[in-house]
Amino acid sequence: MTLKRPLKTPPLFSAATPAQLAQVLRGFRKAARLAQREVATRGGLLQKTVSALESDPSSSSVETLYRLLSALSIELVLRSKGDAPRGPAGW
């Protein structure tokens, strides 16, 4: 009889501000040991676009964000924050 190991649940990361999103995106890229140029090529983006997303994603389009997510093989998951307090920018 073979015992099956339970599948590991991938870690979840929360990003409540554009700055936090930038950190999470950069972290995923670095964990995958990919250069910005490699990710850009995979996502059909320019290296400077990946750099911009990793420094200030608030000025990027949703389409560009999804291209980067796809290039990193990650997905965006949304959930209700409930009654959590919001920051000064409403994030």
Side-chain angles (χ1 to χ4, degrees):
M1 182 167 117
T2 305
L3 294 176
K4 292 185 179 181
R5 290 185 176 171
L7 295 176
K8 285 188 176 181
T9 303
L12 298 176
F13 297 92
S14 178
T17 67
Q20 290 173 347
L21 177 60
Q23 290 176 338
V24 171
L25 293 172
R26 187 179 313 106
F28 269 102
R29 179 182 59 78
K30 288 186 174 191
R33 297 180 181 203
L34 295 170
Q36 287 181 345
R37 188 172 308 283
E38 292 173 277
V39 174
T41 300
R42 289 180 179 197
L45 301 166
L46 298 173
Q47 180 273 328
K48 68 180 184 178
T49 304
V50 174
S51 177
L53 273 161
E54 290 185 359
S55 60
D56 183 17
S58 64
S59 61
S60 299
S61 72
V62 173
E63 179 183 355
T64 301
L65 173 61
Y66 273 98
R67 284 179 177 223
L68 180 61
L69 295 174
S70 178
L72 292 170
S73 298
I74 58 177
E75 65 181 356
L76 177 66
V77 177
L78 303 174
R79 63 181 170 85
S80 175
K81 282 177 41 170
D83 295 328
R86 294 177 183 242
W91 290 94

